[in-house]
Amino acid sequence: MSLGIYIQVPFCQTKCTYCNFHTGVVSPARFAPYASAVQTEIREHRQRLAAAGIALPESFAALTADTVYFGGGTPSLLDPAHLAAILETMRTTFRPAFLEVTLEADPETVEPSKAEAWSRAGINRVSFGVQSFSDVELTAAGRIHRRADVYRAVPILRSAGISNISFDLIAGLPHQTAETWQNSLDELIQLGPEHVSVYLLEVDEDSRLGSELLRGGAKYSASAVPSDDVMVEFYDLARVQLRRAGFEQYEISNFAKPGFASRHNRKYWCREPYLGFGAGAHSFSGTQRWANAHDAAAYVQTIASGSIPVGDLENISAKQALDEELFLGLRQLEGIDLSRLERQYGTLLESRFARLQAAGLIERSGPVVRLVAERLSISNEAFVELMR
Ligand code: SF4
């Protein structure tokens, strides 16, 4: 068992129309105080969490921290010196053996001097929100970068020695067609990232585009969003073509060249412990989950006042833990070992899976159950059925 560390950087240059994250567009003058607050939170997390009623298990002190993930927001907006200082604080606070240090980046923020500084600081993986190779789709979605920025950024990262690059693509952006989706897949495969995440456009009230879609409006190019069926076709096409190009699908949304599955994200799906720092960051100790409050300005103030802005503290019951194991386990294509769970949780699970098997949603090999690869696009049905 090892520890993952997550740093939330909730700042962006603009707000993408489909974005449902708690991020804000703020003056760059606020970046340095934020980075400094994150360092304080890291250094003093144990005492401050204890004061907030969260006692980290004794075993935590002995855990090696082997993954770090700067997520957002757009953490690549921070001065590289701030990122380096945060990493240095982690090295002196935890037992570091950083195997994977990821920085989420927008392609247009990449410059040679920055990439070299990232690499020197120990960042060895960059995850790009590419989303599409169509400038029409990128413009409609409110993204700042354009297709050409991706082509410019990748060689800069490679020259700086960053050999693990991940691209995100979104199926379902406004104006996306079978032709532009195919083109995005072709260009992505040609650029040769080590890792790819493919997401379906999320439609909910928390994004401008989502709420417009729910109201049946046309703002934000909502009327040019492909239908759900088409999105599913795009996703299935991506699965097939990425596999053909040498990527292994290891999770519903994630594909990797051999040896490049995300170590950090695997911790979330395998219920391994992680500590999150920064506004809105989530943490999991094995028995408790909690999250910092979202407001970045309030976060900096709370840290300055000697406290910690913890909210949403939840003690995980055995039933919840088992539900999480099932839900998170099924997301992974290697599946779930039912015999392990039955032993660990002292309960029989066969009957819960019988309906799914009868519906052709899962397949079995011995004690291992997994979602049927060809039915992954309807995995929500399986999750709903399983949790009944
Ligand atoms: S860059 Fe990412 S986090 Fe920022 S607004 Fe766009 S989708 Fe949201």
Side-chain angles (χ1 to χ4, degrees):
M1 182 93 73
S2 55
L3 180 67
I5 302 173
Y6 178 85
I7 306 295
Q8 171 69 356
V9 181
F11 308 126
C12 290
Q13 298 181 93
T14 56
K15 191 76 179 169
C16 305
T17 63
Y18 59 84
C19 181
N20 56 7
F21 298 139
H22 293 270
T23 60
V25 180
V26 303
S27 156
R30 286 180 48 191
F31 296 168
Y34 184 83
S36 163
V38 168
Q39 288 172 73
T40 305
E41 188 191 4
I42 293 170
R43 263 194 309 270
E44 300 177 9
H45 70 280
R46 205 165 252 285
Q47 309 87 293
R48 293 192 184 206
L49 285 174
I54 299 169
L56 293 180
E58 283 297 317
S59 55
F60 254 52
L63 291 181
T64 298
D66 61 354
T67 66
V68 176
Y69 197 105
F70 289 93
T74 309
S76 59
L77 288 178
L78 291 192
D79 187 321
H82 295 148
L83 298 170
I86 292 171
L87 279 167
E88 201 43 44
T89 305
M90 285 178 205
R91 289 193 184 96
T92 54
T93 307
F94 298 103
R95 295 164 71 96
F98 297 156
L99 297 173
E100 183 187 275
V101 181
T102 302
L103 177 75
E104 283 186 353
D106 275 0
E108 81 287 353
T109 61
V110 176
E111 296 158 17
S113 59
K114 268 179 133 177
E116 279 153 24
W118 294 340
S119 184
R120 274 198 307 276
I123 288 163
N124 57 16
R125 182 171 186 270
V126 168
S127 177
F128 275 139
V130 171
Q131 319 310 8
S132 166
F133 283 85
S134 154
D135 284 350
V136 172
E137 292 167 30
L138 292 170
T139 307
R143 300 286 314 188
I144 289 193
H145 80 274
R146 296 291 172 263
R147 170 183 174 277
D149 291 311
V150 184
Y151 280 86
R152 192 185 56 81
V154 169
I156 291 175
L157 291 180
R158 298 285 189 213
S159 308
I162 292 174
S163 54
N164 188 351
I165 298 178
S166 180
F167 284 180
D168 290 355
L169 281 188
I170 297 180
L173 288 178
H175 303 296
Q176 202 165 60
T177 64
E179 197 184 346
T180 63
W181 179 247
Q182 181 62 63
N183 187 62
S184 286
L185 290 173
D186 289 344
E187 296 206 39
L188 175 145
I189 289 167
Q190 201 195 337
L191 269 167
E194 281 68 33
H195 186 277
V196 179
S197 302
V198 178
Y199 301 107
L200 298 187
L201 180 77
E202 281 186 37
V203 177
D204 61 37
E205 282 291 344
D206 293 335
S207 75
R208 289 173 294 160
L209 175 58
S211 65
E212 191 67 11
L213 280 165
L214 292 173
R215 280 195 287 121
K219 275 202 284 188
Y220 312 114
S221 303
S223 52
V225 168
S227 70
D228 288 354
D229 287 349
V230 168
M231 277 186 224
V232 166
E233 278 172 26
F234 289 173
Y235 169 81
D236 281 334
L237 189 70
R239 277 195 333 98
V240 171
Q241 297 199 356
L242 289 171
R243 197 170 51 221
R244 238 183 252 146
F247 291 89
E248 190 184 323
Q249 183 171 17
Y250 65 102
E251 197 266 349
I252 286 181
S253 304
N254 288 284
F255 306 78
K257 290 277 172 72
F260 287 94
S262 164
R263 289 170 182 269
H264 184 84
N265 288 341
R266 255 194 114 249
K267 290 186 198 292
Y268 301 144
W269 304 317
C270 295
R271 302 188 76 252
E272 290 182 14
Y274 51 88
L275 289 175
F277 300 100
H282 288 248
S283 300
F284 174 58
S285 67
T287 54
Q288 292 183 307
R289 291 186 185 279
W290 65 94
N292 284 346
H294 286 292
D295 187 291
Y299 166 80
V300 171
Q301 274 172 10
T302 309
I303 293 294
S305 72
S307 177
I308 197 163
V310 169
D312 299 337
L313 174 61
E314 196 180 6
N315 295 310
I316 306 296
S317 67
K319 178 182 178 316
Q320 270 172 295
L322 176 58
D323 283 350
E324 287 179 9
E325 294 258 19
L326 296 174
F327 176 76
L328 297 169
L330 271 192
R331 290 191 63 97
Q332 301 177 72
L333 271 80
E334 67 185 21
I336 305 172
D337 182 340
L338 286 189
S339 56
R340 173 183 75 80
L341 290 186
E342 290 189 341
R343 269 197 317 276
Q344 194 171 331
Y345 290 90
T347 183
L348 295 175
L349 294 166
E350 292 290 343
S351 61
R352 287 178 81 166
F353 283 91
R355 290 191 303 265
L356 291 180
Q357 196 165 4
L361 292 170
I362 57 160
E363 59 190 14
R364 299 208 47 160
S365 39
V368 174
V369 295
R370 63 176 73 84
L371 288 172
V372 174
E374 290 69 33
R375 313 284 305 269
L376 285 177
S377 52
I378 53 166
S379 55
N380 278 347
E381 273 177 38
F383 295 141
V384 169
E385 184 68 34
L386 189 62
M387 296 305 160
R388 276 210 302 195

